[in-house]
Amino acid sequence: DMNNCDDQAVADQALDLFAEQADASEENSKYALVGPSDEQYEQLLEILKNRLEDGLGECVYEVGIGDGIPDGLCEEDMCASHATLQSLAESIDADLSLLREKQAEEGKVAEYLVRHKPTEEDFTEVRVAVIGNVDAGKSTLLGVLTHGELDNGRGFARTKLFRHKHEQETGRTSSVGNDILGFDSKGGIVNQADAHSSQDWRKICSQSSKVITFIDLAGHEKYLKTTIFGMTGHLPDFGMLMIGANAGIIGMTKEHLGLSLALGVPVYVVVTKIDMCLLTYSRRR
């Protein structure tokens, strides 16, 4: 009798495990969002909540990618999946935005951004330290990104970030500057396409679900202490290493990279002045 009970318990455990694996397989299937049952819908909702929590209020959801089967959904299944995902997002007060769509083996594959709607209480902030050698175009790029106006070729964009007279005159950053770029729950840019001052930061933050804080650091060698202070005192999440294509890796580029790596700050590279690079190479030829 005891052996029969043990065998039954083992069989029950195996059935439970099989059911869990079947549920997980169903959730990972590319057809998971196509007409789910009420129980499957609740499971998908819980998965989405966990992904948003892990992603600090946002995540990228891939539709049409299956586990062990060819990727892609037909138009009808893609529309049904979009409707289900839209319903899931709305039920947890989040917005859904299409990022990209591409053809796959058996149809289309889509990537959606799911992001919580902005609240006055809180938003997600990501701090980015802008580093690189002098004249790499750091302040100019930030001026264009945060103010929505292209540079006129004579340093117009960077003047919106400079705070001191000598910075205006020399065109070189000597202090730690800050500016922000806000994004709403649908991934749109909140910053208006006009010159804004620090007084507008509260308005930008109140309308944003995510705010990128750029820390504009000096690239000249004699301001290295100021750059170190900016990297250690502002606790950036990422370092944006800017390299001018016309000059390459020169000057303080390696020092700034080494500083970021020493502090454990992840770094990504932005190459600027590509138009000048093409002209330089054509002259060399």
Side-chain angles (χ1 to χ4, degrees), residues 78-270:
M78 180 61 72
C79 291
S81 298
H82 175 266
T84 302
L85 190 55
Q86 181 72 51
S87 175
L88 291 169
E90 290 176 354
S91 65
I92 53 177
D93 199 29
D95 276 325
L96 181 71
S97 303
L98 177 64
L99 293 179
R100 60 186 63 87
E101 201 173 54
K102 63 180 181 181
Q103 284 296 133
E105 188 175 348
E106 293 189 350
K108 290 183 179 180
V109 171
E111 290 184 5
Y112 290 91
L113 171 67
V114 184
R115 179 180 286 168
H116 276 308
K117 293 181 180 179
T119 61
E120 295 182 359
E121 290 78 17
D122 197 15
F123 56 84
T124 303
E125 182 191 22
V126 178
R127 298 183 181 182
V128 178
V130 185
I131 53 180
N133 194 53
V134 65
D135 296 332
K138 298 185 293 297
S139 299
T140 298
L141 178 61
L142 293 191
V144 172
L145 288 176
T146 57
H147 291 76
E149 289 184 76
L150 294 176
D151 187 58
N152 62 354
R154 297 187 294 275
F156 171 73
R158 67 188 180 194
T159 58
K160 299 174 182 178
L161 275 71
F162 291 153
R163 298 186 299 171
H164 304 291
K165 183 179 179 181
H166 67 271
E167 290 180 331
Q168 298 276 2
E169 294 173 349
T170 62
R172 292 179 176 176
T173 302
S174 63
S175 59
V176 179
N178 292 276
D179 215 335
I180 62 174
L181 182 61
F183 295 89
D184 60 23
S185 56
K186 295 184 178 181
I189 296 176
V190 174
N191 297 46
Q192 299 297 318
D194 58 0
H196 68 271
S197 60
S198 59
Q199 283 77 16
D200 295 313
W201 285 21
R202 179 177 297 181
K203 180 180 178 182
I204 293 173
C205 291
S206 67
Q207 299 175 353
S208 301
S209 292
K210 186 173 188 176
V211 173
I212 310 295
T213 300
F214 290 106
I215 307 164
D216 188 20
L217 301 175
H220 199 279
E221 183 179 359
K222 69 178 180 179
Y223 301 123
L224 180 58
K225 288 184 178 180
T226 304
T227 300
I228 294 174
F229 167 74
M231 289 289 292
T232 56
H234 289 71
L235 300 176
D237 299 298
F238 299 95
M240 182 167 73
L241 180 64
M242 296 186 59
I243 300 175
N246 60 323
I249 302 175
I250 60 170
M252 300 301 293
T253 305
K254 292 183 180 179
E255 282 75 6
H256 287 183
L257 176 59
L259 176 62
S260 298
L261 297 178
L263 294 173
V265 178
V267 178
Y268 61 94
V269 177
V270 175

